[in-house]
Amino acid sequence: MPQTDRETTQFIDKLIGLGILRKEIEEDIRYIYHCSRKLELPFLDYMNIQDLVEMSGYENDAPLIAVLISMFGVLQEGSLCLDLEEERLYTGLLSFIEEERAGEIAREFLSGLSRDKYKGLITKNGDEYLPLILSETKGIKLLYFQKFYLHEKFLRLRLEALLRSEPVLKIPESTIEAYLEDIYSPQLSVHVSRGGLPIEKDKHQVEAIRLSLRSQFSIISGGPGTGKTSLMVNIIRCLMRAGIRAEEILLGAPTGRAAQRMTEAVQYNINTIKEPSEGDKELLSLKGSTLHKILRYRSYSHDFYYGEANPLPASVIILDEVSMVDVVMMEKFLRAVDPARTKLIFLGDKDQLPSVEAGAVFAEMSDGISVESFKDRLTVLEKVYRSGANLLRLAKQINKGICPEYSTLPFNSALQLKPDKWAFVQNEGIRAWRNHIRLWTDYHYLKPRYGDSRSFRELIGKACGMDHAGLLNSDPGQEILREIFNRIENARVLSLVRNGIYGCTGINMQIADYLSLEFGPSAWRKEGYFSGAVIMITRNDYSKELFNGDVGVVIREREGAYRAFFPRSGSFTTFSMDLLPPWELAFAMTVHKSQGSEFDDVLLVLPEDETHRLLTREIVYTGITRAKKRLIIYGTESGLNSALERKIERQSGLRW
């Protein structure tokens, strides 16, 4: 953010120019707005703040303006409300106001609140139509915007109804045990791969299956490699044996890519069974869908077809990646679930990043103060089946806030790591960073790796010598595409932030500028793509079955046309570039976007600003657990230490 007096003046002038502030504003209000730059709020938030204080007659109330700015700040960080306990409010204001003023402002606001000074803006009655709701429960005072107060209130009621719900399908214990014996038998067991070993009959997974069959509502949490996908398939197989038909089951996820992975998981696991039953084969028709698609979002009315008065007609709903679902979406979804009819199963990782939007519902159900209420509905998977003791140990240390022992390595040496190894590379400035990105690009895209006979560049060259029909329909074409996508999934740069030279947008531009010169004729400067460009869809297009998060590759056909190719259920599909929904380059992506994906090699880039609000334990843990074989953490030691000291604490009233 701007630091000089000149830049401060420009910032205030911008607010005045947008009509947010009057030219003649009091000095203490000018000071608060000046300090608020640290929060990097969008100008729309400032407009909302000014509307709130003007419409309610408090435009000259500096403490109220400071608290409103703080509310938008915590909302931006994912909290639903602002804790008004004096010490917590003081700490919150410290995030952007200098220490000597923060305490004074906090006390002045709380004094005014106790005198009912803000009765034109704040109410204690949740049914009264005022913008801000003050909730007081068990001595805890929380200040909400009305929207989030209502969504949280109704979400609590729906979760409580789920906790009270009795199973519609009552299966005797002896029958459950018979199902377990059946699905883990040699001929019917899911295997690690076709022709591979059968999956282990893990006690935590077995208990999760039992819980899912006994309960109308159950929660399963497990980190990467704990077997959540094969477990999901085995739960469905047991439900089928209990009489649930495939058409009565819904598979849902917050993003299109996560939903597609559910589809792929079912098909992959069922196809590893030696002698699948007829019921098992029926499951091949199951497809995952986004929550919006399941609820049938209606854009013309900005609502959903399914809701409280019209619940979903399903006997079983399984939601994956629940940690990514925010409070508003979760409340709207549960509004459409009838606990007296529908069995609901949540899957996720309680230690992973919470939703981008406000709330941390899954973490609150499976960890912390609320876990006592949900303990009879919760199974935590503990055994990790992914090989890699060093990377697993690192993830556990990071999750506990423990700084691992390490020595910094030169980037060249870090690129040569053996499997199950990680390295920390010190950020030595922009010039070194540009060179390191070029080394990464050379290593992963221009040279053969780990005994491969052909580099990524050579594979793209082979693909360019064919037309799309040949690539899709011939054995050599399919083999080339498989190798290309195997190489794409081998390596990814992950950044905590989008913008700047260390953000995924800047990294993608650096890689694209370099590769576009290496891969032959290019439309890079004119169209923003080139043959060999790795891209990611950013908006769902159900007509093309392309979803937010889908990763593809651009190939210039033999005749010169550019097309994007995407993997699709064991095969591939292709579209002309001008027919694609919105997309962006994906040599690098944010850690948030990477959730649910895994790569052999990960370069995890920490932001240059060691105080950045995204620099937390959870985001580093999530980035680390995307790596299956090798990991490079790139940044400063103080930046890593700063992340380990910060744990995401989202404020909410969801206390059971």
Side-chain angles (χ1 to χ4, degrees), residues 343-604:
K343 181 187 290 287
L344 185 61
I345 301 168
F346 283 171
L347 294 170
D349 180 356
K350 64 182 178 63
D351 298 317
Q352 197 166 281
L353 275 170
S355 58
V356 176
E357 302 298 331
V361 182
F362 190 76
E364 288 173 322
M365 288 189 291
S366 52
D367 205 359
I369 57 175
S370 301
V371 72
E372 190 66 24
S373 299
F374 291 91
K375 67 177 182 179
D376 294 332
R377 307 298 180 100
L378 171 67
T379 306
V380 178
L381 306 179
E382 296 181 1
K383 186 166 183 177
V384 178
Y385 294 93
R386 180 198 290 173
S387 59
N390 286 321
L391 291 178
L392 179 60
R393 187 183 308 113
L394 172 65
K396 287 182 175 178
Q397 288 176 309
I398 294 295
N399 195 34
K400 294 177 181 177
I402 299 170
C403 187
E405 294 183 8
Y406 64 89
S407 300
T408 59
L409 281 182
F411 196 83
N412 258 331
S413 301
L415 282 175
Q416 308 296 327
L417 290 173
K418 293 181 178 179
D420 191 31
K421 296 293 183 182
W422 71 279
F424 188 93
V425 175
Q426 180 71 33
N427 185 337
E428 297 175 346
I430 291 175
R431 181 176 295 180
W433 169 240
R434 291 187 187 279
N435 183 52
H436 293 158
I437 279 294
R438 179 164 288 202
L439 289 173
W440 171 273
T441 306
D442 280 339
Y443 190 74
H444 288 287
Y445 298 102
L446 300 180
K447 299 175 181 177
R449 296 175 56 239
Y450 310 131
D452 294 329
S453 59
R454 296 183 287 192
S455 67
F456 182 76
R457 172 169 52 184
E458 290 170 320
L459 289 167
I460 294 296
K462 287 284 186 182
C464 290
M466 304 176 71
D467 59 28
H468 68 273
L471 283 167
L472 293 178
N473 300 322
S474 70
D475 290 341
Q478 290 266 314
E479 181 59 31
I480 289 170
L481 288 175
R482 273 193 292 272
E483 284 194 56
I484 286 173
F485 279 97
N486 283 340
R487 219 60 65 82
I488 287 172
E489 295 307 308
N490 271 344
R492 197 63 49 89
V493 183
L494 301 181
S495 175
L496 276 63
V497 299
R498 281 192 60 83
N499 300 319
I501 192 168
Y502 299 105
C504 63
T505 302
I507 296 167
N508 277 319
M509 291 296 289
Q510 290 181 67
I511 294 175
D513 281 341
Y514 184 35
L515 286 184
S516 63
L517 300 175
E518 299 284 336
F519 279 37
S522 174
W524 170 235
R525 293 300 173 192
K526 184 178 178 182
E527 305 291 350
Y529 52 75
F530 57 92
S531 195
V534 179
I535 64 172
M536 180 171 58
I537 300 299
T538 58
R539 185 186 302 165
N540 295 336
D541 186 333
Y542 294 106
S543 66
K544 296 182 178 66
E545 294 189 19
L546 290 175
F547 304 108
N548 183 11
D550 279 355
V551 172
V553 62
V554 179
I555 294 173
R556 184 178 184 267
E557 294 185 275
R558 184 169 53 201
E559 302 302 322
Y562 287 88
R563 299 183 69 90
F565 290 77
F566 298 87
R568 173 76 56 78
S569 301
S571 186
F572 302 93
T573 187
T574 183
F575 300 93
S576 174
M577 292 302 294
D578 58 0
L579 295 179
L580 289 181
W583 57 271
E584 60 189 27
L585 291 170
F587 297 102
M589 62 173 59
T590 62
V591 176
H592 275 94
K593 280 282 190 182
S594 75
Q595 290 184 87
S597 299
E598 294 177 334
F599 313 98
D600 285 352
D601 291 7
V602 166
L603 170 57
L604 178 61

Side-chain angles (χ1 to χ4, degrees), residues 29-76:
I29 294 176
R30 179 183 289 270
Y31 164 78
I32 288 168
Y33 275 100
H34 155 63
C35 292
S36 72
R37 295 172 307 154
K38 297 177 184 177
L39 299 179
E40 298 183 351
L41 297 179
F43 283 111
L44 181 60
D45 286 353
Y46 289 109
M47 291 178 180
N48 285 327
I49 290 167
Q50 197 60 23
D51 285 345
L52 288 169
V53 295
E54 284 183 356
M55 291 171 65
S56 54
Y58 302 108
E59 58 263 51
N60 294 319
D61 194 304
L64 175 62
I65 290 171
V67 167
L68 289 174
I69 289 172
S70 186
M71 285 191 72
F72 277 101
V74 298
L75 185 63
Q76 181 173 257

